[in-house]
Amino acid sequence: MQKILVALLASVLMAVPAVSFAQINDDGINQATGQSANAISTAVPFLSLSPDARSSGMGDVGVATTADLYSQHYNAAKYPFMESDYGFSLTYSPWLINLVPDMSLAYLTGMYKFKDDRSAIAASLLYFSMGDVTFTDEQGGSPQNFRPNEFAIDVSYSRKLIDVLSIAVTGRFIYSNLTLGQYVGGLDTKAGLAGAADIGLYYNQDFDLGRDFKGGTLMAGLSITNIGNKMSYTSDFSEDADRNFLPAMLRLGVGFDWHIDDYNSVGFYGEVSKLLVPTPPLLQGDSIVAGRDNQVNVMQGIFQSFGDAPGGFKEEMQEFMWSLAAEYWWREIVAVRAGYFHESKFKGARQYFTLGVGVQYKMIGLDFSYLIPTSQISGSNPLKNTLRVGIKFNFNRKANE
């Protein structure tokens, strides 16, 4: 009987930041719970990665920034506020390049704004390749090569409710093929399938800052993403089957763009996010001694996630991630970006600065981002040298009429 090495490998590779960082905390123990770092794990964690080169250059903020073609991942409600009428973009990033040479993340988006200038539709494909993996049997023989992969296809509709407020709904199909259908432990394995939905709100209001300033724009956003069924990789449909939560996420953000003059503008953004997934309880044997049972249904898990941490309120606060960012534009041609992302050392310890640049000339734009990890671990940080490159094309109907 063959081992499913790829399933284990995929889980390890996607969880590397959380696992590695958790093991090297100052004392290795969560002071709130008396136990080791208590990171939350989910199925298809690639859905939580920032896939585009603009937001990745700004500390992964995206729910309340100015609208762009990449908005589908963070808050599709931004689309009706785009200046262009339609367009598409593509971003590519080698992933965990310090560990594996052939893992990658690709993101393709497309958007169309209707002529009423109040509503838009968009679609995207997020594709994650885990590189080449070799299967062997239990004796280490009969090698087979396989390339595990996962992808998500999205379609969204967004509309302005009033001139300064919009709403969006998104449907998502998720496919995760980690096992090549191997037979293990008496069960047939299969590709994981799931459906999910997002909802987003976006506020965008222009302000007159007086005669000495051109003006400003205040933005705020809220999104709840990846609300869907649990995912399983076996054909066992019993209640005891191993099923994992999707990485449901709550994001709240604010931003302000200051239009200094006709040539210069600068934006400042902040965002808070949280996984809407139950926290693993503290166990002694099979008994829960702190926290709550995390083997619950999806809706119960969402509400439970706000009050089930074994360490109480202190640990609940550790589950909130936050980002700060700034973006400077010169003549709407060249952009310079910077940001910082922070996650508690007890919940994954992803902590890093990001830098980015963008160039926009007529309908074509290019974006680049680079990640600088700040978490202190022994050896090389697996997030080091993370680079994303994106190209986008924005069109206006008037230019073609």
Side-chain angles (χ1 to χ4, degrees):
M1 181 180 65
Q2 294 180 317
K3 298 180 179 179
I4 304 184
L5 296 180
V6 66
L8 176 60
L9 175 63
S11 300
V12 170
L13 289 177
M14 291 300 291
V16 160
V19 174
S20 298
F21 298 160
Q23 290 177 341
I24 48 76
N25 287 329
D26 295 339
D27 53 11
I29 301 296
N30 186 329
Q31 297 299 320
T33 65
Q35 67 177 118
S36 299
N38 194 19
I40 299 172
S41 62
T42 69
V44 290
F46 79 103
L47 294 178
S48 298
L49 302 178
S50 181
D52 71 276
R54 183 197 177 202
S55 293
S56 297
M58 298 195 297
D60 297 352
V61 301
V63 73
T65 53
T66 51
D68 58 25
L69 286 167
Y70 310 123
S71 299
Q72 183 90 329
H73 180 77
Y74 309 93
N75 187 0
K78 298 193 297 182
Y79 280 125
F81 289 91
M82 282 194 65
E83 295 182 2
S84 57
D85 295 319
Y86 58 97
F88 65 93
S89 66
L90 175 65
T91 301
Y92 176 81
S93 174
W95 190 247
L96 297 182
I97 193 170
N98 288 341
L99 296 178
V100 182
D102 54 358
M103 290 179 70
S104 62
L105 183 72
Y107 188 48
L108 175 66
T109 66
M111 159 277 192
Y112 179 84
K113 189 164 63 171
F114 293 100
K115 290 185 178 181
D116 63 6
D117 204 38
R118 300 186 65 86
S119 56
I121 58 173
S124 70
L125 168 65
L126 180 60
Y127 180 82
F128 186 76
S129 172
M130 299 182 188
D132 292 322
V133 175
T134 300
F135 282 101
T136 64
D137 59 26
E138 293 181 345
Q139 287 73 43
S142 304
Q144 297 184 54
N145 292 326
F146 178 51
R147 182 176 286 263
N149 64 86
E150 301 174 301
F151 66 82
I153 300 174
D154 304 353
V155 177
S156 70
Y157 174 77
S158 53
R159 182 170 181 83
K160 289 183 179 179
L161 300 175
I162 55 178
D163 288 341
V164 297
L165 181 67
S166 59
I167 189 171
V169 291
T170 303
R172 177 171 298 112
F173 170 75
I174 305 163
Y175 175 88
S176 176
N177 188 5
L178 303 181
T179 63
L180 194 60
Q182 301 299 301
Y183 185 78
V184 174
L187 294 174
D188 289 321
T189 64
K190 62 182 181 62
L193 301 175
D198 304 348
I199 186 168
L201 290 169
Y202 181 64
Y203 171 85
N204 184 295
Q205 174 72 68
D206 292 329
F207 289 93
D208 183 357
L209 299 179
R211 64 181 184 180
D212 294 330
F213 303 99
K214 185 179 179 182
T217 303
L218 177 65
M219 294 154 286
L222 177 151
S223 69
I224 301 175
T225 59
N226 298 317
I227 304 300
N229 60 285
K230 291 184 179 181
M231 181 171 284
S232 173
Y233 294 93
T234 74
S235 300
D236 184 1
F237 297 101
S238 67
E239 293 184 0
D240 296 330
D242 186 17
R243 294 185 173 89
N244 300 298
F245 285 94
L246 301 181
M249 182 77 72
L250 169 68
R251 288 187 174 93
L252 291 166
V254 295
F256 183 78
D257 272 13
W258 177 23
H259 314 303
I260 302 171
D261 53 37
D262 291 335
Y263 301 102
N264 302 277
S265 66
V266 61
F268 301 97
Y269 312 99
E271 184 171 312
V272 175
S273 58
K274 184 188 187 304
L275 279 170
L276 301 179
V277 178
T279 307
L282 178 61
L283 299 175
Q284 187 173 12
D286 294 329
S287 301
I288 297 175
V289 297
R292 300 171 61 182
D293 183 7
N294 62 343
Q295 299 302 311
V296 295
N297 62 48
V298 172
M299 293 309 299
Q300 184 178 344
I302 291 173
F303 291 103
Q304 180 176 310
S305 67
F306 289 95
D308 63 349
F313 180 77
K314 181 177 180 179
E315 186 177 349
E316 288 293 344
M317 292 298 99
Q318 293 171 351
E319 294 181 358
F320 285 88
M321 298 160 280
W322 55 268
S323 301
L324 296 174
E327 179 182 48
Y328 167 78
W329 276 95
W330 177 74
R331 297 178 68 104
E332 297 185 354
I333 297 176
V334 178
V336 179
R337 305 170 180 128
Y340 178 73
F341 178 91
H342 183 274
E343 180 181 58
S344 169
K345 65 182 180 179
F346 298 113
K347 295 297 176 177
R350 291 175 299 159
Q351 299 167 14
Y352 45 80
F353 287 102
T354 63
L355 299 173
V357 295
V359 178
Q360 182 74 41
Y361 182 72
K362 295 184 178 180
M363 69 178 186
I364 301 176
L366 295 173
D367 293 300
F368 307 87
S369 70
Y370 186 75
L371 186 149
I372 306 171
T374 60
S375 299
Q376 298 300 314
I377 66 172
S378 58
S380 178
N381 191 305
L383 293 177
K384 185 179 180 181
N385 298 326
T386 298
L387 175 70
R388 293 177 177 86
V389 180
I391 185 170
K392 56 191 177 184
F393 297 86
N394 291 282
F395 304 94
N396 286 295
R397 280 185 289 267
K398 293 182 180 179
N400 299 315
E401 291 177 355

